[in-house]
């Protein structure tokens, strides 16, 4: 098993996929806001979605596709209107959007999926969908993946795309992805879910049940590990399409399937990390690890409490090695552990020993917390379970972006 | 039953209490940082405390007092050092502080309680305690309550004190309180707890078990309802001392006890509200009410999710009537409810009807969200349980205060 990241890779790196990104008019700025991804042949697929009670109309349509459709052949994505909390009219609009795209591509609407991101509570302007589909259909190309990545951005500052080329047992295939999401990002859920929009393509041949199982597991170890602001969206969507055009077949429970799952995880983690680095106003990337906990759930509660703590996040923003705030967050997390056995490290430097000050001078810690990326490890000495999350800091810029954001 | 707030009331409004606030030297600024409260006679007492696993040394000492001491006669409070995560040395320092105060007042150390707030992880400077006790002892007066309120401030911008005078069945008594706490404030707990430092005095005569029961219940309906940043402190402490000097006796299960509990609740809610208004960087006070929920826990999960949502808080700061963020927070809260039955109001104005846009023009909502205080009501039409929280917004200033705060 071997895989490598492809330079400038994206959803059009795997063979048999076309993509485009155009300006339909959803964004007042005139920036690209409509993307289309098309497989030249029917593709097996899977999806994981927000667990929010107010799931948006496009999410409800995607869930129906996962349940009822045998394959997908196209995905349309708009940014600028989430089509959430729009009732039956919104649901009809998402279905109609698929119909418009299907007609334009001469395929059936049940083989088209839709994702939306942007303002909640605004009905879709169907003229913009018509325009987006017409323009995007015309602009489809075999190297349009990065353009599509640009069109799905909202408060993201950089487009996020990647692809890996995998070799296993003499066979090759590719996996590519685009993603967006710089706010409303939080992993605090017990069921598999996704926290943003991510479209993944592969030219491997792999069945729907295999894809669903692997995608859910990988989402738990990538997108579900990141926290920017602790808010979960109504529209979180991760879709994967497998069109088989590489000729490589991935059978269940084989080394090929392991290779596929591992390469896909690397790709999803790569994008998850870049989402945190591009988090709204984020200036820091902090890996919070809890090790030697009694149970994975204790480790998870503890790591997520630190990763979501506003006091920790503002300290990181301020280059403040204030471990007291980490301790306070662990303490209220609900995790079961013995405070007097807890050690904490910033990078490799001990800051807390047996629940108290490890005696490291603050100056020695400053070098670590000034870095753009660093880790905080909490060792509970109380078992062998562990969990980690990736967190951003909280800056003035986050507040500015979200106090002013109206799409 | 009748009660009224007393002008400039504080912990020295009830008879038989002395207080003072002085500069011991914990704060670099030279501002007052040490307070003492003394009852002229032994006082019945009760306390509720943080449920943080890393409870600070003074909290551990107070818990011991509640368990082992028959009465209290003095409380000392320092700001500038939390004495948290300081191990056995820290615990000894808190006990020693009580001893120093007891010696100075010629009472027993088990009748002295201690509270601390400030930086976590720093050992107490006992010379400063000695100095604080000596100065505070000398400064004790029968109208020193407001000075004490100043001395316990950290990032608070205004001292917070209040008192009520109660008349019931021809008898009178007073209850007074001082409180601090503008950050590390969150009610997100299932067990009774407090979220800051609050010292309450009364000249009613009321037993320890009655006080404990009433204090816990009232804390749940006041301090446990407020959220500023979702972080809970290691040092949260609420203490009440009842010295009986008014001559009014409060027997269990009487109208007098009801009157006491209600007046105390009004006092605690008054201070809780002022804590939110003085929350770090706060410019808004928002009451989030969830009504007609299936269970109180569903209502609580939903109200707390909205009150803690960074996206809601930044929208409030930005005068943005973005109800989509409220909907998203309700949706991920874990509360069980039917999205399609949910109505939401900003003040009295409907914004969401049956889970979708109520059609109110944004301009009509702007007037509401521009106010310093407003309410958001979420009606689940799904039962008869309800819950409310009081939340602040999230501003640049919050980030600035917490990125820079080193005591």
């Amino acid at each position: 098993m071997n895989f490598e990241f492809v330079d400038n890779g994206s959803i059009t790196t795997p063979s048999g996929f076309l993509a485009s990104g155009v300006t339909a008019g959803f964004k007042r700025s005139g920036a690209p806001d409509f993307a289309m991804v098309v497989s030249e042949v029917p593709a097996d697929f899977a999806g994981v979605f927000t667990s929010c009670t107010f799931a948006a109309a496009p999410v409800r349509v995607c869930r129906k596709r996962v349940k009822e459709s045998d394959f997908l052949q196209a995905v349309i994505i708009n940014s600028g209107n989430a089509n959430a909390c729009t009732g039956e009219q919104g649901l009809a609009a998402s279905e109609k959007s698929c119909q418009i795209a299907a007609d334009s591509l001469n395929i059936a609407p049940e083989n088209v999926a839709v994702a939306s991101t942007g303002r909640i509570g605004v009905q879709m302007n169907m003229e913009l969908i018509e325009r987006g589909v017409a323009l995007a259909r015309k602009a489809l190309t075999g190297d349009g993946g990065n353009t599509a990545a640009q069109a799905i951005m909202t408060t993201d500052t950089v487009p996020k795309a990647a692809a890996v080329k995998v070799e296993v047992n003499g066979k090759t295939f590719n996996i590519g992805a685009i993603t967006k999401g710089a706010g409303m990002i939080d992993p605090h859920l017990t069921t598999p879910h996704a926290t943003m929009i991510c479209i993944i393509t592969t030219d491997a041949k792999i069945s729907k049940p295999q894809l669903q199982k692997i995608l859910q597991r990988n989402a738990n170890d990538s997108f579900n590990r990141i926290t920017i602001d602790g808010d979960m969206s109504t529209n979180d969507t991760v879709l994967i399409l497998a069109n088989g055009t590489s000729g490589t077949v991935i059978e269940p429970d084989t080394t090929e399937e392991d290779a596929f799952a591992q390469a896909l995880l690397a790709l999803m983690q790569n994008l998850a990390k870049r989402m945190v680095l591009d988090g709204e106003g984020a200036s820091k990337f902090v890996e919070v690890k809890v090790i030697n906990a009694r149970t994975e759930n204790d480790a998870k509660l503890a790591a997520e409490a630190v990763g979501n703590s506003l006091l920790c996040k503002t300290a990181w923003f301020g280059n403040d090695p204030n471990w007291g705030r980490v301790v306070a967050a662990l303490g209220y997390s609900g995790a079961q552990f013995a405070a007097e056995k807890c050690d904490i490290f910033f990078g490799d430097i001990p800051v807390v020993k047996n629940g108290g000050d490890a005696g490291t001078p603050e100056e020695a810690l400053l070098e670590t917390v000034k870095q753009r990326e660093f880790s905080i490890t909490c060792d509970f000495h109380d078992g062998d379970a562990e969990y980690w999350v990736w967190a951003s800091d909280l800056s003035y810029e986050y507040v500015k972006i979200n106090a002013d954001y109206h799409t």
Side-chain angles (χ1 to χ4, degrees), chain A residues 26 34-36 57-58 61-62 65 74-78 81-83 86 88-105 107-116 123-134 136:
Chain A
F26 289 101
F34 191 88
M36 185 181 267
V61 169
C62 282
R65 299 285 182 269
V75 184
I76 53 173
I77 310 110
N78 74 283
N81 184 341
N83 194 11
T86 45
E88 291 309 304
Q89 186 184 342
L91 191 62
S94 283
E95 288 283 14
K96 177 73 180 168
S97 301
C98 292
Q99 179 75 58
I100 294 166
D103 289 347
S104 143
L105 295 161
I107 58 177
E110 60 264 31
N111 302 125
V112 180
V114 56
S116 300
Q123 295 293 343
M124 287 302 271
N125 179 334
M126 295 311 291
E127 280 180 31
L128 300 185
I129 295 285
E130 298 261 12
R131 188 190 305 164
V133 168

Side-chain angles (χ1 to χ4, degrees), chain A residues 11-12 14 16-20 36-40 140-145:
Chain A
I11 44 170
T12 44
F17 286 98
L18 306 170
S20 60
M36 185 181 267
V37 186
V38 175
S39 174
E40 290 175 345
L140 284 173
T141 67
D143 62 357

Side-chain angles (χ1 to χ4, degrees), chain A residues 29-211:
Chain A
S29 64
D33 53 15
F34 191 88
M36 185 181 267
V37 186
V38 175
S39 174
E40 290 175 345
V41 296
D44 287 293
F45 73 106
V48 291
F49 307 98
T50 183
S51 55
C52 182
T53 306
F54 284 96
V59 169
R60 292 165 67 191
V61 169
C62 282
R63 284 200 179 117
K64 195 175 154 202
R65 299 285 182 269
V66 170
K67 208 172 158 191
E68 299 178 3
S69 299
D70 291 329
F71 61 89
L72 281 189
Q73 201 160 348
V75 184
I76 53 173
I77 310 110
N78 74 283
S79 57
N81 184 341
N83 194 11
C85 300
T86 45
E88 291 309 304
Q89 186 184 342
L91 191 62
S94 283
E95 288 283 14
K96 177 73 180 168
S97 301
C98 292
Q99 179 75 58
I100 294 166
D103 289 347
S104 143
L105 295 161
N106 209 15
I107 58 177
E110 60 264 31
N111 302 125
V112 180
V114 56
S116 300
T117 176
R119 186 96 175 173
I120 293 172
V122 180
Q123 295 293 343
M124 287 302 271
N125 179 334
M126 295 311 291
E127 280 180 31
L128 300 185
I129 295 285
E130 298 261 12
R131 188 190 305 164
V133 168
L135 291 171
R137 168 78 185 79
K138 255 191 267 183
L140 284 173
T141 67
D143 62 357
N146 285 301
T147 318
Q150 282 187 317
I152 65 174
M153 292 163 66
T154 52
T155 54
D156 307 67
T157 65
V158 289
K160 287 172 275 289
V164 287
K165 179 176 178 150
V166 191
E167 270 193 56
V168 54
N169 298 339
K171 301 173 222 170
T172 63
F173 60 89
N174 299 282
I175 315 175
I178 60 173
T179 188
K180 68 78 52 181
M184 267 204 186
I185 300 291
D186 174 44
H188 207 110
L189 296 158
T190 52
T191 51
H193 75 292
T195 55
M196 35 11 95
I197 291 178
C198 178
I199 311 295
I200 307 169
T201 58
T202 178
D203 48 22
K205 176 150 186 61
I206 176 167
S207 74
K208 222 176 141 183
Q210 286 170 280
L211 284 173

Side-chain angles (χ1 to χ4, degrees), chain A residues 188 227-228 286-290 298-316 322-335 337 342 344-346 374-378 380 388-394:
Chain A
H188 207 110
T227 169
I228 294 170
V286 182
E287 179 170 275
V288 181
K289 281 188 287 194
V290 174
D298 288 315
K300 185 169 188 276
L301 285 171
E304 290 182 347
V306 174
N308 281 319
S309 159
L310 296 203
L311 287 171
C312 290
K313 284 172 177 287
T314 48
W316 300 335
N322 187 333
W323 55 263
R325 296 180 182 181
V326 176
V327 158
L330 294 174
Y332 67 66
S333 67
F337 66 99
C342 178
I344 302 177
F345 300 81
F346 281 11
F374 63 92
S375 67
I376 294 178
T377 305
C378 308
F380 284 173
W388 53 267
V389 300
W390 288 338
S392 63
D393 59 346
L394 182 72

